[in-house]
Amino acid sequence: SPGIQSEVITASTVYYDADTQFGGGYHPHNYYQGYRGLMSIRQATEISANIPFVKALSNVGMKASIEFCENVGLPIVGDEGLSLGLGGLTKGVSVAQMAGAYSAIANDGEDITPTCYTKGVDSDGNVIIESKTEKERVFSEQNAYILKQLLTEPTKSGGTATACKISGKDTAAKTGTSQENHDKWLCRFTPYYT
């Protein structure tokens, strides 16, 4: 996301997916078996290849990436290593924070305060509580469009989230699995729900 926003990368930017030792002893592996050589960011998103995303973070830069994450409500505290490119966070984020970040993509680059209700009324129909949502543009509509297109790739044949596709609806999804399967994430959105 920050790479596309800053125009450092595009969905078609190609990286070499190969066993790579990064500085500081960081040596990530792909969750699936093996490496696949040259691939675009679009292809890496489809199959959740790790190495291209770590290389992309290295090109984009840590400062821009952390700033982007914080703009969409993901607190990055003390996580300034390349594992950030794979979602490797020391303290992690909550499901609500992640849903809020993905909703900024679904909402065309506008961050809308996540809420679980719209209003509450009493037995006479009087509103006793109402959700107050705040909106803030955190990245461009053009970036959101590209991200939406990228995130449909995992739901296509051969992707990591094919089971998430909803017939007749635009569906975007991204999977993520941490080392030794400690965490497994699936973030999905349609035009209506995150």
Side-chain angles (χ1 to χ4, degrees):
S1 299
I4 291 169
Q5 184 68 24
S6 63
E7 299 179 358
V8 172
I9 63 170
T10 70
S12 299
T13 298
V14 174
Y15 288 99
Y16 193 65
D17 181 37
D19 189 18
T20 305
Q21 179 78 33
F22 293 90
Y26 184 53
H27 191 212
H29 300 282
N30 288 329
Y31 182 71
Y32 59 83
Q33 297 298 317
Y35 299 96
R36 300 200 180 174
L38 294 173
M39 69 171 53
S40 68
I41 289 294
R42 183 177 305 283
Q43 292 165 317
T45 302
E46 177 184 353
I47 63 171
S48 203
N50 289 334
I51 306 307
F53 287 105
V54 176
K55 290 179 177 181
L57 173 61
S58 182
N59 289 144
V60 172
M62 199 60 63
K63 183 180 179 196
S65 298
I66 289 172
E67 186 177 292
F68 187 91
C69 288
E70 290 174 345
N71 283 343
V72 296
L74 299 175
I76 309 300
V77 181
D79 292 301
E80 296 181 5
L82 290 175
S83 64
L84 178 63
L86 305 178
L89 302 172
T90 304
K91 298 196 181 209
V93 296
S94 70
V95 172
Q97 288 168 319
M98 190 64 81
Y102 270 76
S103 72
I105 300 168
N107 292 320
D108 299 323
E110 280 192 321
D111 181 40
I112 300 174
T113 307
T115 183
C116 296
Y117 66 95
T118 52
K119 65 181 175 181
V121 295
D122 64 18
S123 59
D124 295 324
N126 300 313
V127 176
I128 54 174
I129 188 170
E130 192 164 4
S131 172
K132 292 183 172 122
T133 57
E134 297 178 21
K135 293 181 180 182
E136 178 185 3
R137 174 143 315 275
V138 291
F139 53 87
S140 72
E141 287 184 52
Q142 293 83 1
N143 188 16
Y145 177 82
I146 294 167
L147 293 173
K148 286 180 194 180
Q149 297 306 307
L150 279 173
L151 291 170
T152 64
E153 295 299 323
T155 66
K156 295 177 181 175
S157 179
T160 58
T162 54
C164 295
K165 187 165 183 69
I166 301 171
S167 181
K169 291 194 186 298
D170 291 333
T171 309
K174 181 67 183 84
T175 59
T177 307
S178 65
Q179 288 180 323
E180 299 176 23
N181 293 317
H182 287 295
D183 298 299
K184 288 187 176 187
W185 278 86
L186 170 74
C187 299
R188 173 172 73 171
F189 64 86
T190 70
Y192 307 103
Y193 298 105
T194 302

